[in-house]
Amino acid sequence: MKEQFEGSFTQQEAIPEDAIDAAVEVMRSGRLHRYNVADGQVGDVARLEQEFAALLGANYCLSVASGGYALATALRALGVEPGHKVLTNAFTLAPVPGSIAAVGAVPLFVGVTEGLVIDLEDLAEKADQADVLMLSHMRGHICDMDALMQICDQNDIKVIEDCAHTMGAKWRNTWSGRYGAIGCYSTQTYKHINSGEGGFLVTDDAQVIARAIVLSGSYMLHDRHLAGPDPSEFKKIFYETPNISGRMDHLRASILRPQLRSLNAQCEAWNVRYRIVEDGLQDTPGLRLIERPPEEAYVGSSIQVLLLDWSQQAVRDVIAGCAERGVELKWFGSKEPVGFTSRYDSWIYAPSSAMPKSDRILAGLLDMRIPLTFSLEDCALIARIIRMEVNGVYQSMPAVAQ
Ligand SMILES: *Cc1c(COP(=O)(O)O)cnc(C)c1O
């Protein structure tokens, strides 16, 4: 009998009990707004910002309503205006080009490599066309950050890092989010810490954080920030910067603070699971694993594999075979966006030219989430199922396609 997987790919862990207690306390107080604090009280949002900044060794941190809001705020804080071009990854998810569109700017897409990172050659070719790169560490894959920063520094390009999939990850001992001018994070349910919705923006630039704080809607209460700049930084910014409300509230911050304390252990738990799936898929004919460079300390909250140069039908057969056995694979090769797997040419509000090298990779790219509710045995079973289904389709393919 064929093995079957019964688990859910969208079931996250419960919120930890200490976080629930903290949330209940906030609700009992009635003070949910970040600036609504009792005399002498600091509040969970300001504390959370201080703790996240300390973890990353950043001068400043702002908590906001979502990861997408953090990205758009980062663009505004760097002075991106309507009509400006912003370099970004062709392989990413909709909130990234969406945040560029939100400020009226125009995404200029940069290709993806077989390592699933931004194509640095393509970036260098397009580097004279924009002043800002929104770099998405899509699905947790981090490019050679030293080489990327060299290209960007030489061309006076400011870098915003989209760390929605790399909270807790590093390149050569530097946290993801700390190479560029601004790092943006999401605390949405499917990311590495969970408050339903939420996000962070971190930077060492006092003017950038001052603008971001006013943008988020600080109602002149910026002195209540523990991870904000000196009050003198606000003098001019204050009158020049619109309020585009997107604050985080105490309820969300209260459940994030305990989760932040266990982030490292959670990342380790993801990596144990990732490596079991990866090991189980090793040397599957026709299937290529993504090589992880030694400089990259990744967080394996999802795994990607390539069925490079397979026909669309063969890829569809693998996905259908796995789905029948309870294993949900997402595919970036579909012409129509399905679930979250949209691609650069499905965002028709953003004009793009054909990118054949990237298209070849996306056409064979399968993606699978690894929630921490999966046991180690679940991960081994999932790998066996994928391996068998890939094998079955591969063996039936004409030899020339192999
Ligand atoms: C989730 C996500 C974001 C932002 O997420 P929000 O849902 O707005 O919090 C940004 N980039 C990528 C790649 C994401 O997956």
Side-chain angles (χ1 to χ4, degrees), residues 78-118:
L78 289 182
V80 173
E81 288 177 9
H84 285 185
K85 282 186 183 164
V86 175
L87 290 156
T88 194
N89 306 59
F91 171 49
T92 185
L93 293 182
V96 178
S99 70
I100 296 170
V103 304
V106 183
L108 178 56
F109 295 110
V110 183
V112 60
T113 69
E114 289 179 22
L116 300 192
V117 295
I118 194 164

Side-chain angles (χ1 to χ4, degrees), residues 135-332:
L135 172 67
S136 183
H137 301 298
M138 177 61 175
R139 282 294 178 257
H141 296 276
I142 304 178
C143 72
D144 180 338
M145 288 304 295
D146 305 296
L148 177 126
M149 290 311 297
Q150 199 181 350
I151 295 170
C152 292
D153 289 344
Q154 274 168 3
N155 290 279
D156 279 326
I157 293 174
K158 295 212 174 79
V159 179
I160 299 170
E161 291 181 67
D162 165 28
C163 305
H165 304 163
T166 52
M167 184 188 285
K170 289 179 178 172
W171 178 264
R172 223 195 277 287
N173 263 331
T174 296
W175 294 102
S176 169
R178 298 293 293 137
Y179 276 89
I182 306 179
C184 297
Y185 302 79
S186 170
T187 63
Q188 191 236 73
T189 294
Y190 299 108
K191 314 296 160 112
H192 296 174
I193 54 178
N194 175 10
S195 58
E197 302 286 355
F200 297 112
L201 183 156
V202 303
T203 182
D204 287 342
D205 186 320
Q207 286 285 290
V208 163
I209 198 72
R211 270 184 232 120
I213 288 172
V214 176
L215 282 162
S216 76
S218 54
Y219 300 123
M220 316 249 242
L221 297 169
H222 47 262
D223 55 338
R224 297 197 190 162
H225 285 246
L226 293 179
D230 188 85
S232 63
E233 299 286 346
F234 288 92
K235 263 188 206 139
K236 217 165 128 242
I237 279 174
F238 211 71
Y239 299 99
E240 294 172 351
T241 310
N243 174 332
I244 304 176
S245 285
R247 296 167 301 271
M248 183 178 280
D249 57 274
H250 284 149
L251 195 51
R252 290 190 170 93
S254 71
I255 70 172
L256 288 173
R257 291 182 63 205
Q259 292 182 61
L260 200 54
R261 292 195 279 275
S262 40
L263 177 64
N264 272 339
Q266 298 286 93
C267 292
E268 206 27 63
W270 264 304
N271 286 346
V272 170
R273 285 161 179 76
Y274 179 96
R275 284 170 194 141
I276 291 174
V277 178
E278 188 184 46
D279 280 349
L281 294 176
Q282 214 70 254
D283 304 318
T284 306
L287 175 145
R288 180 154 355 158
L289 291 165
I290 311 301
E291 210 175 302
R292 313 294 312 230
E295 295 90 344
E296 182 196 31
Y298 60 84
V299 182
S301 51
S302 68
I303 189 163
Q304 293 69 41
V305 299
L306 285 172
L307 302 180
L308 214 49
D309 302 323
W310 284 41
S311 71
Q312 293 234 335
Q313 192 51 51
V315 177
R316 280 183 212 281
D317 289 346
V318 169
I319 295 167
C322 288
E324 221 163 87
R325 300 174 66 182
V327 175
E328 264 178 51
L329 300 176
K330 304 288 181 185
W331 181 35
F332 282 86

Side-chain angles (χ1 to χ4, degrees), residues 334-338 341-350 352:
S334 174
K335 282 280 168 256
E336 284 305 310
V338 183
T341 59
S342 56
R343 35 182 292 156
Y344 74 93
D345 50 3
S346 38
W347 305 315
I348 51 175
Y349 59 83
S352 62

